[in-house]
Amino acid sequence: MMGDYGYGIVIGLHTLAAVVWVGGMYFAHMVLRLPVTEMAPAERLGLWGRVLPRFFVWVWLAVIVLLATGYGVLLAGYRGGIAGGALHVDIMQATGLVMMVLFVALFFGPWRRMRAALGSGDLPTAAAAQGWIRRIVTVNLILGLFTIFVGAAGTFVGY
Ligand code: HEM
């Protein structure tokens, strides 16, 4: 048993990981994206080609921390544990796992294609792949905001 302070620290880390991932998508999609569309294609795609790999390192880290802390507290018996049955935790898991599957698909699909196309100077292919990254991030941003809301608000109604 970890005790309340132990759980508090682990769930604090869980929340920080959510902030890094969803906040990063929020900034990229809601703030950086529109000004960047005013750039010439080669510059625009080159910028994303330098920005995205840096962000993706943090997303991988956030995914690992979210899984380890989320399932960690449940396996340690936090508030009824893995079979505790709190609806908000079930919803968070479902939408969280969908987000992670989408990110992995983005990373090994369009991102790999975009990186290869940028490497060979094939801008149309890079632009098409970047379009898919944008669509997937749009979905993941909405899911992420929803998941944070459910995770945070649910604590007050779930037990
Ligand atoms: C996929 C596996 C996940 C598991 C097993 C999991 C598990 C948990 C658990 C057990 C709690 C504590 C709930 C409570 O005290 O009532 C929690 C809280 C939370 N989770 Fe998750 N989570 C997961 C994914 C995510 C994701 C992807 C996000 C956001 C992107 C997220 C955001 C949050 C937030 C914001 C809280 C609230 C912290 C608080 O205010 O107390 N979780 N999660």
Side-chain angles (χ1 to χ4, degrees), residues 104-130:
V104 171
L106 172 165
F107 190 86
F108 292 106
W111 168 239
R112 220 171 43 172
R113 286 203 300 280
M114 181 177 166
R115 205 173 41 179
L118 284 176
S120 62
D122 179 356
L123 289 183
T125 304
Q130 199 263 341

Side-chain angles (χ1 to χ4, degrees), residues 53-139:
R54 286 183 168 80
F55 178 51
F56 292 158
V57 172
W58 290 105
V59 178
W60 280 114
L61 195 68
V63 167
I64 291 166
V65 171
L66 283 164
L67 287 172
T69 53
Y71 287 111
V73 292
L74 292 178
L75 290 172
Y78 175 76
R79 289 182 159 175
I82 197 88
L87 181 61
H88 67 292
V89 176
D90 292 341
I91 296 171
M92 173 169 24
Q93 262 178 82
T95 54
L97 292 174
V98 170
M99 288 174 67
M100 292 171 195
V101 168
L102 286 175
F103 171 69
V104 171
L106 172 165
F107 190 86
F108 292 106
W111 168 239
R112 220 171 43 172
R113 286 203 300 280
M114 181 177 166
R115 205 173 41 179
L118 284 176
S120 62
D122 179 356
L123 289 183
T125 304
Q130 199 263 341
W132 279 106
I133 293 174
R134 175 176 49 75
R135 286 182 199 103
I136 295 173
V137 167
T138 307
V139 174

Side-chain angles (χ1 to χ4, degrees), residues 22-38 47-48 137 141:
V22 180
M25 290 195 292
Y26 194 91
F27 175 74
H29 192 78
M30 304 297 287
V31 179
L32 186 58
R33 186 172 55 90
L34 281 181
V36 167
T37 55
E38 291 160 10
L47 179 66
W48 285 119
V137 167
L141 174 58

